[in-house]
Amino acid sequence: MKAKAVTALRCAIVMGMCTWVGASLAQPAAQPWSNVSLAPDARARLLLAQLTQDEKFQLIRSYYGGPDRPANNPVPKGSLGSAGYVPGIPRLGIPALQESDAGLGVASSDRIRAGHYATPLPAGPVTAASWDPQVAFRGGAMIGGEAHSNGFNVLLAGGINLMREPRNGRNFEYAGEDPLLAGAIVGAAVGGVESAHVISTIKHYALNDQETARDTINVEIGEQAMRESDLLAFELAIERGKPGSVMCSYNKLNGDWACENDYLLNQVLKRDWHYPGFVMSDWGGTHSAAKAVNAGLDQESAGEVFDKQVYFDAPLRDALAKGEVKQARVDDMVLRILRSMFAAGVFEHPAQPSPIDEVANLAVARQTLEAGAVLLRNQQGLLPLDVGKLGSVAVIGAHADKGVLAGGGSSLVSAKGGNAVPGLAPAGWPGPVMYHPYAPLKALREAAPKANIQFAEGNDVAAAAALAAKSDVAVVFVQKWAAESVDATDLSLPDAQNALVAAVAKANPRTVVVLENGGPVTMPWLDQVGAVLEVWYPGGDAGHAIADLLTGKVNPSGRLPLSWPRDVSQLPRPALPGAGGGTPPASVDYGIEGADVGYRWYQSRGIKPLFPFGYGLSYTSFSHGSLKVSAQGHQLEATLELSNTGTRAGAEVAQVYVQLPGAKARRLAAFTKVNLQPGEHRQLTIPLEPRLLAHFDTTTHRWVVPGGSYSVAEGHSSAELGTPVVVQLKPGAL
Ligand code: BGC
């Protein structure tokens, strides 16, 4: 141990450029911050004391590394050419920060090295639909590990904007509409990334729930409403996952840019939540020096390319000289960055190019889809397809012979093998439209080698219907591409896909529809088809997972992390002005639904969506035993027995909802997912999250439980609940 420390010290002094590789408890006095037995804050303070003012300024801004940057403004040497780069300080062993997008894997479009590939996770709603934080953790650890093995120590991963707007082009990066579920899932994913010694970046803070006019729009919402919805999701995820950084968003919130919003950054994140990490701006999200810094922004991202000017250099130095910003605040910014680096272990575990276990990582992606695909409809046991008896199958549409669709924008991952369907428009941002090369057709043929499986592209509706008519079963793949920076103008499937499904179903009622989409779509043909399987953008090795789900090797166990509206007329804002063109409005009113996002909106208005939040079918059946609720002060526990009453192994989610005194809607307050063998019973005890029993009091800034009768109910979805148990609670602050 000692020898190692001495060698490392010599290396630092003589070469002036070594980073600390191996940690040692016997630390040289010259670099006491290398002592891993000290807390990250203490280490950061020791290191901060060594920095010159210029070095501090070096750490509080990042550079853009992508190829589409101004020629007269070259990226500093050392950048890997990704979304963000902060040069290191070799004399003190501070490694550079190499930042890569994003939440579904190491992004590798033309923004990063040509020829680079990574393992794509399925879309965020798939992970959320697993209702299993362990699945989310494994996914986060996998993409974090790949980032680390590519030399990255910051992943811009941790998307958690709630689905207020089903047309939002980035819903596929997020985790649905519910604060508890999203908080648990994204928190676990963030924890997974950090476990790989990579700083995770929860984003986009906050209320950036639509892409239309994302960098001009002012979101209007009351304090209580946001604390009980979008901010609660962040609060829970930050608590659970401990991300090293938070990315503030493009939009304004109640009049101030999110990245210079004192309420969001100073008051909520840093004061109320005691967040010790740093806040980085979204790319183009910094609008000032003094105001942003004093409001709590710690690092300006890629300002030389995306902001009007680099605010966190000359303008900030001026503001400091004029006394508009205090030196202590600049020190705090640096301290937070260093602290997150120590907390994630980026000093002791330098990110360096190293081999990746592609097979194991692909298995993580595949298992995520197997846990999160949602069976939305299954008439007369059409699914699972019986491989032994399967005669002929028509596979139709969505390039299922070549691959599976991915969402577009900065999160896009290029999988090994590249784009299976190159050349689709748009080729430029937020494209390219990418199909990952995991073809369901090939996988189905492997799963059912004796069956006669033919493919029709689906462009020729009559030909597809003719193939379906002469097949035992038709499996129609339909898709809707979604991408960052654009919202959908409506919820319909594009092109002639509705006509295609209707014609195929008419030709053969034994029609299964597989959906590849970023969010809910209308299904005018729903009553005519036998089964619908939702796989969203299904990611790595999706073909095999889809084949196993369709043939019953894997029993679907995903449950919707979002409500599925019948059409836009059911939404709080049926119109989305500015989407698809036209002048967008200056502001959007999220006070319409307030904290009642998703199912709470539908319940409070007595609206029945097409599929409720929490919904999903299985190839087996479950019974939910009677619910008991015990209370110790404001700590509630739900106890019940879950049984698998069918003939196949499967997983069920116990979902516990609570209705506060006087409320019209219920709130998810606890859940757990269990695997059950046929005939197996399991006794479950699940603690309820106390903040879901409370209101956020804007005067005292505390969660306060109103006194009165609480109705607690458990069931299979938000709309299929057993007999409620009523519990009396005394009023009080948490
Ligand atoms: C996106 C972020 C992303 C950043 C860097 C922005 O346009 O909103 O999510 O991390 O670009 O690529």
Side-chain angles (χ1 to χ4, degrees), residues 101 111 156 170 203-204 214 247 250 282-283 484:
D101 283 302
R111 305 177 102 196
L156 309 173
R170 297 189 89 170
K203 66 187 189 184
H204 306 87
R214 65 175 179 174
M247 187 189 292
Y250 285 129
D282 201 344
W283 276 230
E484 177 182 342

Side-chain angles (χ1 to χ4, degrees), residues 21 30 111 119 127 172 265 276 294 332 348 403 433 474 478 508 560 612 615 620 705 707:
V21 184
R111 305 177 102 196
T119 307
T127 304
F172 75 91
L265 307 180
N294 289 332
D332 173 56
E348 287 76 39
V433 176
V478 293
N508 188 341
L560 286 178
Y615 171 84
T620 186
V705 175

Side-chain angles (χ1 to χ4, degrees), residues 123-336:
V126 176
T127 304
S130 76
W131 289 62
D132 187 343
Q134 286 180 25
V135 167
F137 183 90
R138 286 196 289 270
M142 186 276 278
I143 63 171
E146 286 203 356
H148 197 262
S149 297
N150 277 290
F152 295 110
N153 48 20
V154 181
L155 255 193
L156 309 173
I160 191 169
N161 296 86
L162 292 189
M163 195 185 84
R164 281 178 189 271
E165 175 48 76
R167 289 159 291 200
N168 180 355
R170 297 189 89 170
N171 282 333
F172 75 91
E173 296 185 52
Y174 303 145
E177 69 190 23
D178 180 75
L180 179 67
L181 179 63
I185 292 294
V186 175
V190 159
V193 171
E194 294 262 343
S195 76
H197 308 298
V198 170
I199 293 172
S200 180
T201 310
I202 197 163
K203 66 187 189 184
H204 306 87
Y205 187 68
L207 280 300
N208 178 189
D209 297 347
Q210 65 178 59
E211 290 299 276
T212 301
R214 65 175 179 174
D215 38 27
T216 54
I217 202 137
N218 179 36
V219 172
E220 290 168 355
I221 186 169
E223 183 178 7
Q224 182 184 346
M226 66 173 132
R227 290 299 294 254
E228 293 179 14
S229 56
D230 293 60
L231 298 194
L232 179 57
F234 273 97
E235 182 177 5
L236 294 169
I238 289 172
E239 247 169 52
R240 291 166 193 225
K242 302 188 174 32
S245 65
V246 171
M247 187 189 292
C248 50
S249 53
Y250 285 129
N251 53 294
K252 288 180 182 166
L253 175 66
N254 295 331
D256 275 330
W257 295 110
C259 290
E260 53 184 46
N261 196 302
D262 183 73
Y263 175 76
L264 275 181
L265 307 180
N266 278 342
Q267 297 180 40
V268 178
L269 181 69
K270 293 180 178 178
R271 180 196 67 194
D272 291 359
W273 300 345
H274 310 288
Y275 179 66
F278 68 101
V279 179
M280 68 164 78
S281 58
D282 201 344
W283 276 230
T286 307
H287 300 272
S288 61
K291 184 171 181 194
V293 164
N294 289 332
L297 179 61
D298 301 305
Q299 192 181 64
E300 178 179 13
S301 303
E304 83 290 4
V305 174
F306 292 90
D307 295 331
K308 284 208 180 100
Q309 56 177 308
V310 179
Y311 294 101
F312 283 20
D313 195 357
L316 183 55
R317 290 178 199 257
D318 283 354
L320 201 54
K322 287 186 200 144
E324 293 165 7
V325 170
K326 301 239 169 352
Q327 179 64 41
R329 174 65 187 116
V330 174
D331 289 353
D332 173 56
M333 294 156 75
V334 177
L335 186 79
R336 287 168 172 277

Side-chain angles (χ1 to χ4, degrees), residues 369-445:
L369 180 59
E370 290 174 353
V374 183
L375 184 61
L376 292 173
R377 180 177 168 87
N378 194 16
Q379 296 298 104
Q380 283 130 32
L382 173 55
L383 293 178
L385 303 174
D386 185 339
V387 169
K389 294 191 192 141
L390 212 51
S392 52
V393 183
V395 173
I396 297 164
H399 303 289
D401 57 331
K402 301 201 174 72
V404 290
L405 188 60
S410 60
S411 68
L412 180 67
V413 174
S414 182
K416 187 175 191 176
N419 193 347
V421 188
L424 298 178
W429 174 262
V433 176
M434 173 95 72
Y435 279 77
H436 295 314
Y438 309 108
L441 176 67
K442 181 166 174 275
L444 266 171
R445 284 183 172 147

Side-chain angles (χ1 to χ4, degrees), residues 53-73:
Q53 186 74 329
D54 282 347
E55 287 168 339
K56 291 175 186 172
F57 269 82
Q58 183 175 320
L59 294 177
I60 59 172
R61 61 173 288 205
S62 66
Y63 294 81
Y64 182 60
D68 44 340
R69 52 176 296 117
N72 61 354
N73 194 349

